[in-house]
Amino acid sequence: MNKLVYLASQSPRRRQLLAQIGVEHELLLPGDDEDAEALEAVLAGELPEAYCARVTAAKLDAALARHAARDLPLAPILCADTTVAVGTQILGKPEDEADAARMLALMSGRSHRVITAVAVADATRRVAALNVSEVEFAPLSAAQIERYVASREPFGKAGSYAIQSQAAAWIVKIAGSYSGIMGLPLFETAALLEKFGFEF
């Protein structure tokens, strides 16, 4: 039975979520020679769900190559990517304060999707899953948005917010996976890891 996975993600929330379901993990992060951000470029006309699945697959390819190059002990590698979407519009990580405010204003008073793809591979097999949740925001005032952007919380987060932050005060309802919205849907993740000998 497997006891360990390599987590190819810099997200502290994903580490926390894996620990929550008792999965031991070691980080397998990009080296200075890798352009990890380039993997997240959106292709023309790409739909959010397809984008999220493609980026996660690309991250896994890079992590498998990294694992081989570093000659590390064998263990499954887990990658994930989270994308926020309003309709067909992908809301990535904000470039600056104005971009963060734009995204929050776009989501104000309406629903958006939080899409998280998960992929796991070892030397012999590869599996993936996609979780889509709906989140409804209350109407937000310009002052609320300004305060949240000033807190710096939006930066480094798809859609410019985190559900486990003060933005939770604006969430009218969610339909889907709370852990998926955080960045790692635990039901799907556990189901994938069971294929590699993990037990839950």
Side-chain angles (χ1 to χ4, degrees):
M1 186 179 109
N2 275 303
K3 294 289 187 188
L4 175 81
V5 296
Y6 291 107
L7 175 62
S9 171
Q10 306 202 36
S11 164
R13 292 164 297 284
R14 292 191 180 117
R15 298 194 69 180
Q16 177 190 340
L17 288 163
L18 278 180
Q20 183 180 326
I21 57 170
V23 175
E24 289 185 35
H25 57 278
E26 290 182 9
L27 295 181
L28 181 62
L29 300 179
D32 294 337
D33 57 330
E34 295 181 64
D35 186 359
E37 292 297 313
L39 296 178
E40 298 185 7
V42 181
L43 303 178
E46 195 167 28
L47 294 175
E49 284 81 356
Y51 163 78
C52 192
R54 179 184 63 77
V55 168
T56 302
K59 286 182 176 181
L60 185 55
D61 289 340
L64 286 163
R66 191 181 310 141
H67 178 269
R70 294 178 188 173
D71 199 24
L72 296 167
L74 293 177
I77 299 169
L78 186 150
C79 286
D81 188 72
T82 300
T83 299
V84 174
V86 173
T88 59
Q89 188 173 346
I90 294 169
L91 305 183
K93 295 168 186 167
E95 294 175 7
D96 53 26
E97 279 114 342
D99 196 33
R102 175 190 67 82
M103 291 189 212
L104 293 164
L106 182 64
M107 293 184 289
S108 170
R110 67 191 294 186
S111 291
H112 60 270
R113 300 192 309 293
V114 180
I115 305 148
T116 299
V118 186
V120 184
D122 63 11
T124 60
R125 79 178 92 180
R126 180 177 181 134
V127 293
L130 192 73
N131 175 272
V132 183
S133 298
E134 292 266 346
V135 180
E136 182 185 337
F137 269 13
L140 305 177
S141 68
Q144 285 175 300
I145 291 172
E146 188 179 335
R147 279 197 304 273
Y148 189 60
V149 172
S151 77
R152 312 301 295 169
E153 183 65 43
F155 298 98
K157 298 175 180 69
S160 299
Y161 82 97
I163 193 170
Q164 72 279 11
S165 74
Q166 55 188 304
W170 306 334
I171 294 172
V172 177
K173 65 180 177 183
I174 68 169
S177 166
Y178 186 88
S179 59
I181 296 165
M182 275 183 73
L184 191 69
L186 292 179
F187 177 79
E188 288 85 350
T189 298
L192 295 181
L193 290 175
E194 282 175 345
K195 300 177 191 295
F196 294 85
F198 288 78
E199 295 177 348
F200 298 96

